[in-house]
Amino acid sequence: AQSVTQLDSHVSVSEGTPVLLRCNYSSSYSPSLFWYVQHPNKGLQLLLKYTSAATLVKGINGFEAEFKKSETSFHLTKPSAHMSDAAEYFCVVSRSSNYKLTFGKGTLLTVNP
Amino acid sequence: EADIYQTPRYLVIGTGKKITLECSQTMGHDKMYWYQQDPGMELHLIHYSYGVNSTEKGDLSSESTVSRIRTEHFPLTLESARPSHTSQYLCASSEVGDSPLHFGNGTRLTVT
């Protein structure tokens, strides 16, 4: 069994300040973890992916996430928010070689000027 | 730039109508998926396919059906639409193994 909990449904930051989007997961197996971003009226786009290599994963647009097995967390961070980062972010867990992904409910990121 | 295309982007229809949501990808991916997305909720898998002539139901029960006659095409059909089918439907594809998904821009369906 696997599950994902995104701890904040909405995060609001000012432009130029750090971003932290929190994700905890549960998995009976060694998981693969993903962050996807969805801009308004668009499909989801992969930000980054963890698959048991380096625990700190760098993604597109300056985002990165750290896999912490002891805390079962995979939080997404960015040092400095940009207006274009305003979107919904989904944390996703999957069992390796399994076709099925489990999505979190999403975190809406608002960036204020 | 999207290599997976969904049409129509928006659809408003009356109850009882038959509809088909189209999804095509140009990447040669064997695996394709349909997800249902409602505001503030996680995405729910309603159908998936391993390849041509292979389709399976997902985690969320759905009255829709799918077909996979060609690798690049994975249409979803509702024989008789109801207001409860109002939602956004996202199509995705991926390569074999644990590859990430490529999503289309979605079809937002409203049944009146």
Side-chain angles (χ1 to χ4, degrees):
Chain A
Q2 58 190 26
S3 66
V4 172
T5 302
Q6 292 186 242
L7 299 171
D8 305 292
S9 60
H10 186 201
V11 170
S12 183
V13 301
S14 298
E15 189 174 20
T17 64
V19 175
L20 170 63
L21 306 183
R22 299 182 296 164
C23 173
N24 286 350
Y25 70 92
S26 171
S27 177
S28 303
Y29 304 91
S30 182
S32 293
L33 293 158
F34 308 81
W35 276 98
Y36 282 84
V37 60
Q38 185 178 31
H39 288 93
N41 299 314
K42 296 289 187 183
L44 280 71
Q45 179 187 15
L46 180 70
L47 269 182
L48 49 80
K49 172 184 177 183
Y50 166 79
T51 55
S52 76
T55 56
L56 184 62
V57 182
K58 293 189 183 297
I60 62 171
N61 300 334
F63 284 94
E64 62 182 36
E66 186 172 8
F67 173 71
K68 292 187 176 180
K69 185 175 180 179
S70 61
E71 299 176 11
T72 60
S73 69
F74 191 56
H75 301 335
L76 182 70
T77 60
K78 183 174 181 177
S80 176
H82 192 272
M83 296 297 291
S84 60
D85 295 328
E88 185 136 29
Y89 292 79
F90 292 91
C91 184
V92 183
V93 63
S94 79
R95 173 184 170 184
S96 185
S97 301
N98 190 322
Y99 290 99
K100 298 181 184 179
L101 306 183
T102 299
F103 284 78
K105 292 186 177 182
T107 298
L108 180 65
L109 176 65
T110 301
V111 181
N112 303 306
Chain B
E1 187 165 337
D3 293 321
I4 180 164
Y5 305 97
Q6 291 187 244
T7 56
R9 287 283 283 121
Y10 303 93
L11 180 60
V12 180
I13 60 165
T15 297
K17 300 291 187 183
K18 177 181 178 179
I19 59 166
T20 296
L21 308 185
E22 300 288 348
C23 176
S24 295
Q25 50 98 1
T26 60
M27 297 169 284
H29 289 166
D30 285 326
K31 295 158 64 173
M32 295 191 74
Y33 315 80
W34 277 102
Y35 285 88
Q36 187 170 336
Q37 182 183 27
D38 294 303
M41 301 295 291
E42 57 269 64
L43 275 69
H44 289 290
L45 180 67
I46 52 175
H47 297 284
Y48 61 99
S49 168
Y50 300 171
V52 171
N53 295 325
S54 160
T55 61
E56 301 286 344
K57 288 191 178 294
D59 302 320
L60 182 68
S61 176
S62 174
E63 294 164 342
S64 58
T65 59
V66 292
S67 62
R68 189 89 183 275
I69 298 172
R70 303 196 315 267
T71 297
E72 63 271 21
H73 194 214
F74 191 41
L76 181 146
T77 298
L78 276 167
E79 291 292 333
S80 180
R82 293 206 298 268
S84 61
H85 296 139
T86 294
S87 187
Q88 172 149 263
Y89 293 85
L90 291 171
C91 181
S93 71
S94 70
E95 297 175 345
V96 297
D98 205 18
S99 302
L101 303 182
H102 296 256
F103 282 86
N105 287 334
T107 293
R108 189 169 296 279
L109 173 65
T110 302
V111 184
T112 61

